[in-house]
Amino acid sequence: MGAGIAITGCGSAAPATVLTNNHLAQMVETSDEWINTRTGMRNRHIASPTESLSQLSAVAAQNAIAMAGISVTDIDLIILATSTPDDMFGSACRVQGLIGATNAVAFDLTAACSGFIFALITASQFIRTGVYKNVLIIGADVLSRWVDWSDRASCVLFGDGAGAIVCQGTHESDRLLSFEMYSKGSQNDSLNLNYQSCSKPLVDGITAQNGNYQPVSMNGREVYRFAVAKVPEAIGKAMFRANLTAEDIDWLLLHQANQRIMDAVAKRLKIPAEKILSNIAEYGNTSAASIPLALDAAVRGGKVKPGDTIAASGFGAGLTWGSAIFKWK
């Protein structure tokens, strides 16, 4: 009881195939300038027919475990945050098998673009109560499976990828300083991937559902308004709980949905733009993968250093949003 949390490793993976803005301009009425000006995106990585979410997750996980300096058999819990599993029953167990984490229990967590933050907070409860000591958290999505490639408003936004971190229990100083979580189901229709049912007569007047999931549907204007209003509030509350001010934050790590959203959030929090961690130009919106993907790039690129204080926030479908303040390493 009373264990703290140390984030000791990170890793990421993305498909090799790159879909550029110029490629999209050949598919729908758009241009590199139009996309980049409105979103900050230039490229996104797209999984090939032979690549799976489980495979991407496994690579990201192995990289994170290697950085943490522990054995894969030391992992006792795996939480896979995803909205696009390979198997509707969940893919966390498949990832467990791929990496050989034979001592770990594994489950999926679905909270769309907030998934990674929600998974980190969930893992922290297991660690703090002493139930598990070494937890692997993965954020991964293959949204290219669910995009309407003829819809200019949405097809330019999404890419595929996976990111992971290792959290370990520690009796030294707790590195997870505070967190906030929220949901607002009354705005569910602003961003969703709905199931559309159709009737299938069975026998004796009994009818069952037999339908399909539809492509991603989004009201971009409403999502923008929601994020710019709610994300600074969630981070501000988390900073208050941690007894921190904007000057204490070394890096702002947001879900990579839109560069303009990230800039607006930083401005409201009075955090300088140069403290924003962003790789949206290369990967686009990778949903639950976006925060750990950006973190891994910043750590391996030498930006984020041990002891740095990071304010992170995920936000998206549900609608859900949350924040976490933590120190790296």
Side-chain angles (χ1 to χ4, degrees):
M1 295 291 290
I5 293 135
I7 302 173
T8 58
C10 60
S12 62
T17 301
V18 176
L19 185 69
T20 68
N21 290 348
N22 289 327
H23 287 140
L24 287 163
Q26 299 175 45
M27 299 161 53
V28 293
E29 186 179 347
T30 190
S31 68
D32 174 67
E33 181 184 8
W34 190 92
I35 299 170
N36 187 50
T37 300
R38 287 161 178 79
T39 68
M41 300 174 187
R42 292 194 180 277
N43 301 322
R44 64 285 298 146
H45 293 238
I46 303 297
S48 71
T50 60
E51 290 177 300
S52 71
L53 176 126
S54 299
Q55 291 167 339
L56 291 171
S57 298
V59 173
Q62 288 164 336
N63 290 336
I65 292 168
M67 182 184 287
I70 61 175
S71 168
V72 67
T73 55
D74 292 326
I75 300 295
D76 39 30
L77 173 64
I78 299 170
I79 304 177
L80 171 61
T82 185
S83 300
T84 57
D86 298 325
D87 181 340
M88 193 60 70
F89 291 150
S91 292
C93 289
R94 175 62 176 155
V95 175
Q96 182 230 36
L98 287 172
I99 66 175
T102 52
N103 295 319
V105 63
F107 63 84
D108 288 35
L109 182 152
T110 301
C113 305
S114 305
F116 180 79
I117 293 295
F118 281 25
L120 170 60
I121 295 167
T122 300
S124 73
Q125 309 312 301
F126 286 105
I127 292 173
R128 284 177 170 161
T129 55
V131 176
Y132 296 117
K133 183 178 179 181
N134 300 308
V135 182
L136 173 65
I137 303 165
I138 306 167
D141 272 302
V142 181
L143 281 168
S144 61
R145 294 170 173 170
W146 299 105
V147 169
D148 178 354
W149 292 103
S150 65
D151 178 11
R152 183 182 69 165
S154 62
C155 75
V156 302
L157 301 175
F158 299 107
D160 305 332
I165 61 171
V166 172
C167 289
Q168 296 184 265
T170 176
H171 290 289
E172 299 176 4
S173 59
D174 196 338
R175 268 69 159 199
L176 180 59
L177 307 182
S178 62
F179 61 82
E180 295 284 327
M181 299 169 70
Y182 301 94
S183 299
K184 190 175 182 181
S186 60
Q187 284 190 263
N188 178 258
D189 59 355
S190 296
L191 176 56
N192 54 42
L193 200 164
N194 274 329
Y195 176 83
Q196 182 175 319
S197 65
C198 59
S199 298
K200 180 177 178 62
L202 298 179
V203 65
D204 293 338
I206 299 172
T207 301
Q209 293 187 42
N210 186 19
N212 294 286
Y213 284 92
Q214 303 303 297
V216 175
S217 173
M218 182 176 69
N219 184 327
R221 183 173 296 179
E222 285 302 313
V223 171
Y224 181 90
R225 288 174 179 170
F226 144 74
V228 170
K230 295 299 185 180
V231 172
E233 180 182 284
I235 295 175
K237 287 183 177 181
M239 288 195 299
F240 177 80
R241 288 183 185 275
N243 196 28
L244 299 175
T245 66
E247 289 74 24
D248 298 314
I249 302 301
D250 294 303
W251 302 105
L252 183 62
L253 176 58
L254 303 178
H255 165 50
Q256 310 283 296
N258 184 301
Q259 188 63 49
R260 292 193 300 174
I261 291 177
M262 292 190 277
D263 292 339
V265 170
K267 185 175 181 180
R268 292 199 179 193
L269 290 168
K270 296 182 171 56
I271 293 176
E274 58 267 24
K275 290 187 175 184
I276 301 172
L277 295 178
S278 175
N279 62 356
I280 195 170
E282 177 61 25
Y283 294 101
N285 181 344
T286 56
S287 192
S290 71
I291 290 175
L293 265 172
L295 175 64
D296 189 50
V299 169
R300 294 178 188 274
K303 270 190 171 184
V304 173
K305 295 177 172 57
D308 282 359
T309 301
I310 299 172
S313 180
F315 50 91
L319 294 175
T320 59
W321 67 104
S323 62
I325 311 293
F326 62 89
K327 286 185 177 291
W328 169 246
K329 282 284 190 178

